[in-house]
């Protein structure tokens, strides 16, 4: 027993000494914090008043240091910033990391000002945290400059492009307190960072492309005429190597395979080339080309034409740059996309309906032409319209409908288009002969007094239904009679709205969980001659219209797409 008492006594003494050391450090460090804040401390990244507010919030106690020195969580912050997938190429400059690392390396415990220097390090880490949280929650682009570019674009080309950026409003001081209390940096920062589906896989794709870049990059394909099955060309070995590098081609060719087309050639040079199977475009190579084309949204015909050659020759470094830009765009989206939500990726020409992180509907769509870009924003779908009439926008009425009417007086009647004397209430129908004349074509203000409306019919571009989420851009999702256009790989044809390839499936899927939408009654209306019928949804569905030119799909495949509206080019110049 006496030995046990001695052990306990020794433990109590050690604990008391440790507690006194801790208490002494807390008192001395608080004094240093207050003292340094009153001096002309040269801030690295944020204003002095902002820094003061951080420490006022924490009762002037340091965040990142203790009696042992810089805490591991402080080093974790540096590591997090250095390896951020968006900021990494610019991180040294953006965060002045060389100065930070020099300050850390120059810490000397024997120095009489060691504690003061340690507190300075705490200030530096707090400033780094503040700037990093700003980049994560607000984005790394000067948004006002991007909007100015869009305004210039409209003035120069009359192309009106729009993009709404979502910024996460979080108190960074409270976030820092939470980090320290939980002693977990990653958990807290993950809560405020992007959560787009398969975003982590997209980050990992950068590492794979960096390995390719370190080995010299992708093999360059010499420019050539279109290549297809049966062709013999000295370009094909380059094509094979390139497709092996991206794992599209996984089998070697066999020299014992004869190429009948080549053997029938009278050109001896071609016949000589055909003795090596690498020069022959066989079925395996065709399938590899199709695999590549699918990953890039190209026409999957297995023919290596000009556009496929251009995509093949995009360097690994450029692809890394494209991925970083798209990860940045994910920081412009709401963090909570919804338990059930619609996602339309404009460059992909696809709509997906997610529920509890699972895709329950996936279909091709048509989006706005380059002259009429589909706006990028988030909203909530609140009602559907069956057998919709189409209220034709002024610009379309003026530029497309009236010129056709002037050529053919029966055009409106043939297409089921009526003219009304106004947009509100129940305006009277107007005879087209009374308003269509040369003077009106020059008078836009006068034209706006009239509403051109096409009743539900097989000619109505809205088809049999539209899905509404009232917004300032007046765009929506709708059916279309032009089904053949969905066979095209590039589907930018509309005036800004989104046309669906399978509208009936979307209607049925929504009806499965919405008590206000009875699919049997809806089908009765659709098959009848009942005029336009609106049905409000009991459960509003979040819809996110986004613009990603690179992502990892639900099958784990890295995807790239054409920058149809040139947003990549504009935004890259304005980052950081």
């Amino acid at each position: 027993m006496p030995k046990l008492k001695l052990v306990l006594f020794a433990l109590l003494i050690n604990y008391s000494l440790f507690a006194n050391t801790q208490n002494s450090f807390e008192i001395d460090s608080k004094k240093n914090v207050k003292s340094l804040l009153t001096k002309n401390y040269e801030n690295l990244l944020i204003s002095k008043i902002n820094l003061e507010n951080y420490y006022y919030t924490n009762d002037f106690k340091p965040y990142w240091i203790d009696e042992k020195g810089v805490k591991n969580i402080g080093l974790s912050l540096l590591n997090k910033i250095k390896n951020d997938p968006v900021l990494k190429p610019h991180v040294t400059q953006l965060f002045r990391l060389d100065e930070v690392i020099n300050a850390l390396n120059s810490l000397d415990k024997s120095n009489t000002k060691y504690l003061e220097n340690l507190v300075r390090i705490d200030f530096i880490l707090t400033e780094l945290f503040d700037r990093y949280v700003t980049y994560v929650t607000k984005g790394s682009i000067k948004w006002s400059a991007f909007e100015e570019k869009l305004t210039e674009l409209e003035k120069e080309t009359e192309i009106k492009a729009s993009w709404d950026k979502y910024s996460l409003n979080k108190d960074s001081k409270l976030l820092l307190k939470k980090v320290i209390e939980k002693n977990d940096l990653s958990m807290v920062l993950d809560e405020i960072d992007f959560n787009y589906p398969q975003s982590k896989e997209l980050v990992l794709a950068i590492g794979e492309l960096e390995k390719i870049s370190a080995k010299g990059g992708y093999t360059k394909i010499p420019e050539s005429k279109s290549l297809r099955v049966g062709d013999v060309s000295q370009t094909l070995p380059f094509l094979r190597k390139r497709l092996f590098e991206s794992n599209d081609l996984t089998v070697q060719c066999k020299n014992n395979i004869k190429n009948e087309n080549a053997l029938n050639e009278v050109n001896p040079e071609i016949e000589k080339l055909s003795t090596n199977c690498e020069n022959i475009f066989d079925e395996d190579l065709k399938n590899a080309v199709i695999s590549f084309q699918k990953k890039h949204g190209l026409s999957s015909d297995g023919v290596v034409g000009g556009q496929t050659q251009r995509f093949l020759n995009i360097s690994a470094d450029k692809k890394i740059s494209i991925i970083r830009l798209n990860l940045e765009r994910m920081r412009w989206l709401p963090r909570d996309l919804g338990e059930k939500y619609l996602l339309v990726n404009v460059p992909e020409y696809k709509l997906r309906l997610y529920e509890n992180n699972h895709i329950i509907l996936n279909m091709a769509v048509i989006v706005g032409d380059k002259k009429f870009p589909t706006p990028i924003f988030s909203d909530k779908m609140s009602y559907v319209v069956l057998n919709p009439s189409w209220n034709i926008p002024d610009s379309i009425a003026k530029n497309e409908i009236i010129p056709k009417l002037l050529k053919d007086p029966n055009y409106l009647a043939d297409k089921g288009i009526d003219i009304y004397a106004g947009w509100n209430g129940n305006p009277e129908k107007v005879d087209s002969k009374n308003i269509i004349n040369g003077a009106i074509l020059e008078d836009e203000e006068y034209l706006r007094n009239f509403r051109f409306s096409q009743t539900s019919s097989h000619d109505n571009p809205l088809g049999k239904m539209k899905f509404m989420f009232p917004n300032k851009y007046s765009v929506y999702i709708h059916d279309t009679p032009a089904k053949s256009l969905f066979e095209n790989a590039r589907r930018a044809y509309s005036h800004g709205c989104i046309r669906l390839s399978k509208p009936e499936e979307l209607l049925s899927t929504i009806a499965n969980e919405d008590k206000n939408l009875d699919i049997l009654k809806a089908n009765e209306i659709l098959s009848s001659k009942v005029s336009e019928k609106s049905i409000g949804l009991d459960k509003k569905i979040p819809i996110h219209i986004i613009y990603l030119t690179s992502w990892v799909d639900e099958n784990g495949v890295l995807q790239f797409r054409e920058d149809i509206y040139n947003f990549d080019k504009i935004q890259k110049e304005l980052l950081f």
Side-chain angles (χ1 to χ4, degrees):
M1 288 295 291
K3 286 185 178 180
L4 180 60
K5 288 182 178 178
L6 285 172
V7 170
L8 288 172
F9 179 73
L11 287 172
L12 286 170
I13 290 294
N14 287 333
Y15 177 78
S16 177
L17 290 171
F18 177 72
N20 287 335
T21 302
Q22 270 194 317
N23 190 46
S24 174
F25 175 83
E26 186 174 314
I27 293 170
D28 291 343
S29 61
K30 283 179 69 171
K31 284 181 181 177
N32 273 275
V33 167
K34 289 180 179 179
S35 174
L36 278 175
L37 286 174
T38 60
K39 295 178 181 178
N40 292 324
Y41 164 71
E42 186 179 344
N43 298 56
L44 276 171
L45 304 168
I46 64 176
S47 68
K48 186 175 181 181
I49 190 167
N50 194 7
L51 187 67
E52 288 173 350
N53 287 336
Y54 267 100
Y55 289 93
Y56 178 81
T57 303
N58 202 38
D59 191 28
F60 295 100
K61 291 183 291 186
Y63 291 99
W64 310 95
I65 62 173
D66 58 20
E67 63 281 355
K68 297 177 184 177
V70 179
K71 294 190 283 189
N72 286 335
I73 201 165
L75 301 177
S76 296
L77 174 65
L78 286 175
N79 190 56
K80 181 79 172 176
I81 292 171
K82 284 168 63 178
N83 293 294
D84 183 89
V86 175
L87 306 173
K88 192 172 182 178
H90 312 276
V91 73
T92 300
Q93 180 182 356
L94 292 173
F95 293 87
R96 295 166 66 177
L97 283 187
D98 289 342
E99 294 178 47
V100 175
I101 292 168
N102 286 337
L104 280 168
N105 290 337
S106 62
L107 273 176
D108 182 1
K109 286 189 175 183
S110 64
N111 191 321
T112 55
K113 290 190 175 182
Y114 169 69
L115 183 55
E116 181 180 318
N117 291 334
L118 198 58
V119 169
R120 289 179 185 274
I121 295 291
D122 201 89
F123 285 3
I124 289 171
L125 291 172
T126 299
E127 292 183 54
L128 291 179
F129 178 85
D130 181 88
R131 171 162 282 197
Y132 185 63
V133 167
T134 300
Y135 280 128
V136 170
T137 58
K138 310 294 183 187
S140 308
I141 188 172
K142 189 174 181 183
W143 199 254
S144 59
F146 174 59
E147 291 179 322
E148 286 174 12
K149 288 281 186 183
L150 297 187
T151 301
E152 290 173 14
L153 181 69
E154 186 177 0
K155 287 179 181 177
E156 294 171 4
T157 64
E158 295 187 1
I159 295 174
K160 189 170 184 177
S162 302
W163 191 316
D164 287 355
K165 180 171 76 74
Y166 176 87
S167 293
L168 186 65
N169 294 315
K170 287 285 186 179
D171 188 327
S172 55
K173 296 164 187 66
L174 296 179
L175 282 174
L176 180 51
K177 287 199 74 172
K178 188 175 179 181
V179 166
I180 302 304
E181 287 167 4
K182 293 186 176 293
N183 195 33
D184 193 329
L185 181 80
S186 292
M187 185 195 76
V188 175
L189 291 183
D190 286 349
E191 290 175 1
I192 63 171
D193 210 346
F194 48 65
N195 64 346
Y196 187 83
Q198 285 81 48
S199 56
K200 291 180 180 177
E201 289 81 352
L202 187 59
V203 173
L204 293 175
I206 293 176
E208 294 303 310
L209 286 165
E210 284 176 335
K211 291 176 185 176
I212 292 169
S213 179
K215 293 177 181 177
Y218 286 125
T219 297
K220 188 86 171 175
I221 309 298
E223 187 177 342
S224 71
K225 65 178 182 64
S226 292
L227 297 166
R228 65 193 72 229
V229 167
D231 283 350
V232 178
S233 170
Q234 57 189 4
T235 299
L236 293 177
F238 295 96
L239 177 62
R240 287 180 178 278
K241 190 176 180 184
R242 169 64 184 83
L243 293 172
F244 264 114
E245 290 162 355
S246 55
N247 297 316
D248 293 291
L249 184 62
T250 57
V251 296
Q252 298 284 353
C253 66
K254 297 177 182 178
N255 272 314
N256 60 350
I257 295 177
K258 301 282 186 180
N259 185 280
E260 298 299 331
N261 292 346
L263 292 175
N264 291 329
E265 289 281 353
V266 293
N267 187 330
E269 187 177 337
I270 294 296
E271 191 168 344
K272 182 180 178 181
L273 282 173
S274 68
T275 59
N276 184 344
C277 67
E278 288 203 341
N279 297 318
I280 301 171
F281 201 128
D282 57 18
E283 285 294 330
D284 288 332
L285 188 55
K286 176 184 176 181
N287 292 333
V289 170
I290 289 172
S291 170
F292 177 87
Q293 289 170 331
K294 286 180 178 178
K295 293 176 184 176
H296 295 78
L298 304 170
S299 180
S300 303
D301 54 10
V303 177
V304 185
Q307 193 174 24
T308 297
Q309 288 179 36
R310 283 193 293 275
F311 271 87
L312 283 163
N313 282 328
I314 296 175
S315 69
D317 286 339
K318 184 172 181 180
K319 286 195 168 188
I320 292 170
S321 175
I322 292 169
I323 290 174
R324 293 193 197 281
L325 173 61
N326 284 280
L327 286 167
E328 164 68 17
R329 284 175 179 152
M330 292 174 187
R331 286 178 172 162
W332 307 343
L333 291 170
R335 300 306 186 266
D336 182 7
L337 298 175
E339 289 184 11
K340 182 177 182 179
Y341 61 92
L342 285 159
L343 199 67
V344 178
N345 186 14
V346 172
E348 188 189 9
Y349 312 111
K350 278 286 185 74
L351 173 145
R352 291 176 177 84
L353 178 58
Y354 284 81
E355 188 165 19
N356 297 322
N357 298 320
H358 295 290
I359 297 171
I360 60 175
L361 195 61
N362 187 341
M363 73 176 75
V365 299
I366 288 168
V367 301
D369 182 84
K370 188 174 182 178
K371 294 181 179 179
F372 307 98
T374 295
I376 310 304
F377 68 106
S378 294
D379 214 300
K380 287 188 177 181
M381 184 185 294
S382 56
Y383 68 100
V384 298
V385 181
L386 306 179
N387 295 335
S389 296
W390 182 39
N391 291 321
I392 302 170
D394 292 340
S395 58
I396 298 177
K398 177 186 175 183
N399 298 323
E400 299 179 28
I401 304 298
I402 293 177
K404 290 176 181 177
L405 176 61
L406 292 174
K407 291 180 181 179
D408 178 7
N410 298 316
Y411 177 78
L412 296 185
D414 292 343
K415 296 295 182 181
I417 298 175
D418 297 317
I419 304 177
Y420 295 89
W423 286 79
N424 301 316
N426 295 303
E428 292 182 7
K429 191 181 292 187
V430 179
D431 190 328
S432 61
K433 295 177 183 177
N434 294 335
I435 68 160
I436 301 299
N437 54 58
I440 292 174
L441 288 176
E442 305 294 327
D443 191 347
E444 290 187 41
E445 290 301 321
Y446 183 77
L447 181 64
R448 290 194 183 99
N449 295 324
F450 300 96
R451 172 165 58 92
F452 288 72
S453 181
Q454 187 175 31
T455 56
S456 179
S457 67
H458 66 278
D459 288 320
N460 189 320
L462 302 186
K464 298 294 288 181
M465 63 192 80
K466 61 180 181 178
F467 301 82
M468 305 299 292
F469 40 101
N471 57 82
K472 61 185 176 182
Y473 304 114
S474 299
V475 299
Y476 42 86
I477 295 173
H478 63 85
D479 181 18
T480 175
K483 301 296 185 185
S484 62
L485 294 177
F486 291 104
E487 296 174 8
N488 299 337
R490 193 181 189 281
R491 298 189 293 274
Y493 300 115
S494 82
H495 285 81
C497 287
I498 297 156
R499 305 177 196 170
L500 300 170
S501 59
K502 298 182 282 190
E504 298 86 0
E505 289 188 26
L506 179 57
L507 184 71
S508 178
T509 304
I510 293 173
N512 286 339
E513 295 185 14
D514 198 293
K515 65 183 183 182
N516 286 357
L517 185 56
D518 185 315
I519 194 63
L520 294 177
K521 291 181 180 178
N523 286 332
E524 285 179 14
I525 294 169
L526 290 170
S527 60
S528 70
K529 293 185 178 181
V530 173
S531 58
E532 184 171 287
K533 173 71 175 177
S534 296
I535 302 172
L537 298 179
D538 177 53
K539 298 177 182 178
K540 293 183 179 181
I541 304 173
I543 176 168
H544 309 285
I545 302 174
I546 64 173
Y547 193 92
L548 294 182
T549 51
S550 180
W551 71 97
V552 172
D553 70 14
E554 55 272 20
N555 299 311
V557 178
L558 177 62
Q559 300 281 341
F560 290 91
R561 290 297 184 274
E562 178 192 5
D563 178 24
I564 55 175
Y565 298 155
N566 288 326
F567 284 149
D568 280 14
K569 183 179 178 181
I570 297 171
Q571 290 174 354
K572 277 181 183 178
E573 296 173 355
L574 300 174
L575 285 174
F576 317 114

